[in-house]
Amino acid sequence: MQRFLIGQYGGFDAKKQQRDFRDGFWGVEACMFHSDKDAKLLAEEAERGGFSVGVHYPFRQRDHGFRRDALFLSPDLHVRHAAMAQVEQELAELSMIKPRYVLFHYPKPVILDDRVNWEQWRFADPSEFISERAMSISAFQRGTEQLFRWLSEKGRHYQFTPVLEFDALNRYIYEDRFLEDLLTAYPAIKLCLDTGRLFMQELIDPYFQAEPVLRRYAKYSYLVHLWTVNRFDPVGSYHHPALPSCDPAAGWAPIERFMRIIGNENPQVHVLFEHRSDRITERELDACYAWCDSLLS
């Protein structure tokens, strides 16, 4: 459990910290904090508890007009430059909590496979996605390499590990080797694999399979976002804790298979429990932690 994290979203919740965190956990992932006061509380708790902090961009909830995700790959040059300026500003402000990693969604905007109906995919804003017709694979690859160079430089300068969390994926990533080649060429850049998100895409996209993606990219991953969802009630079960009782035969994501693949490829990966822990008892929460630990052993 030394590589486990819990999430703190919107601010520092002392009750959640006391209930969800365990001695020996690696740390906390923080996102969308509303105030400097909460940021200070997190920094003080991390120093007192001796744990690490990671950031899921954006760390701060900004005023109206601030985009939640950095649109690094936008075809619009002005949007790309604005995204980089926004990120640079936040990185300069993060000295208080000294994050070990900063995570960004990738690709953003998402490149949507034109063959697939994406109505069920969750986007906060229409700017977060474009059609494959609007971006060629060569343009996508050029933009990704520019992003890798820039993030590698910022990681060195601000002393953090850049982590890219897969959003919806199209064939540019799961049929081509270019991303693996870049991850080898830029070893400072790491990935985040989201179990619920991968399962949801498998339900929506008939051309996508989660397990080959896990086998291919787990070795490059720094982090897993662990949660489950049920195919028969995707809205009501969204971000449900991964419990051994959540049987795939009853519609739940095959978390055991996913985590065994990841553990075999990368036993040193970190795991963030990105779930609604308020839905379960403390005893069930302990069972969730113990089960995940056993799957990675």
Side-chain angles (χ1 to χ4, degrees):
M1 296 189 184
Q2 295 178 351
R3 291 181 175 270
F4 287 1
L5 300 86
I6 68 166
Q8 289 279 10
Y9 301 108
F12 184 76
D13 185 334
K15 289 182 179 178
K16 177 179 173 63
Q17 188 73 18
Q18 184 176 14
R19 182 180 187 269
D20 292 9
F21 199 81
R22 300 288 184 272
D23 289 341
F25 273 23
W26 185 86
V28 168
E29 182 176 283
C31 180
M32 301 283 278
F33 272 38
H34 292 284
S35 69
D36 290 334
K37 178 182 176 183
D38 277 342
K40 185 178 179 184
L41 284 171
L42 174 62
E44 290 172 349
E45 186 67 22
E47 185 173 358
R48 183 165 48 248
F51 62 81
S52 299
V53 175
V55 162
H56 186 307
Y57 180 85
F59 175 65
R60 289 297 304 272
Q61 171 70 58
R62 307 283 179 171
D63 296 333
H64 179 72
F66 183 88
R67 284 192 171 96
R68 186 193 66 175
D69 285 323
L71 303 181
F72 291 126
L73 300 180
S74 172
D76 187 322
L77 184 62
H78 297 293
V79 172
R80 291 204 305 274
H81 286 173
M84 290 176 176
Q86 248 178 31
V87 169
E88 182 96 46
Q89 177 187 346
E90 178 149 299
L91 292 175
E93 295 171 357
L94 283 174
S95 58
M96 177 191 296
I97 63 168
K98 301 179 177 134
R100 294 279 295 276
Y101 71 84
V102 181
L103 177 151
F104 307 91
H105 283 174
Y106 171 87
K108 275 295 166 109
V110 171
I111 294 93
L112 297 182
D113 189 326
D114 298 318
R115 302 169 296 178
V116 179
N117 181 348
W118 293 98
E119 288 181 2
Q120 295 181 61
W121 200 259
R122 293 189 172 193
F123 291 110
D125 187 88
S127 66
E128 292 186 19
F129 59 90
I130 58 175
S131 165
E132 272 184 6
R133 293 188 301 271
M135 181 173 286
S136 67
I137 188 168
S138 58
F140 178 67
Q141 291 174 353
R142 284 196 304 273
T144 294
E145 184 160 14
Q146 290 167 3
L147 172 62
F148 274 44
R149 282 200 302 268
W150 188 81
L151 280 179
S152 294
E153 177 190 331
K154 298 307 168 189
R156 285 192 298 272
H157 181 76
Y158 292 104
Q159 298 186 315
F160 71 91
T161 297
V163 177
L164 299 178
E165 178 185 357
F166 279 156
D167 208 301
L169 304 178
N170 79 328
R171 49 193 147 183
Y172 294 174
I173 289 176
Y174 62 75
E175 289 184 358
D176 197 281
R177 282 196 52 86
F178 97 96
L179 185 58
E180 292 169 271
D181 292 340
L182 279 184
L183 288 163
T184 301
Y186 294 88
I189 307 293
K190 301 299 180 183
L191 297 178
C192 171
L193 301 170
D194 185 300
T195 58
R197 195 185 293 268
L198 288 165
F199 181 62
M200 285 295 295
Q201 181 165 351
E202 200 169 65
L203 297 181
I204 291 168
D205 181 351
Y207 305 97
F208 176 82
Q209 291 182 301
E211 291 186 23
V213 169
L214 292 172
R215 289 192 181 91
R216 197 167 180 181
Y217 290 110
K219 65 177 70 69
Y220 304 106
S221 297
Y222 185 92
L223 183 64
V224 174
H225 279 179
L226 180 63
W227 57 284
T228 192
V229 63
N230 192 295
R231 69 172 66 233
F232 301 120
D233 182 20
V235 175
S237 64
Y238 206 68
H239 281 282
H240 194 80
L243 297 168
S245 58
C246 292
D247 189 349
W252 293 98
I255 295 299
E256 180 172 355
R257 289 210 310 273
F258 285 3
M259 294 304 288
R260 289 203 186 280
I261 291 170
I262 294 167
N264 286 338
E265 295 290 338
N266 186 355
Q268 301 305 310
V269 75
H270 298 78
V271 178
L272 166 70
F273 293 89
E274 195 182 46
H275 58 207
R276 289 282 307 276
S277 63
D278 57 312
R279 291 177 175 169
I280 59 175
T281 66
E282 237 176 293
R283 186 173 179 178
E284 288 173 317
L285 187 58
D286 282 331
C288 171
Y289 294 154
W291 188 51
C292 178
D293 194 40
S294 73
L295 295 178
L296 292 173
S297 297

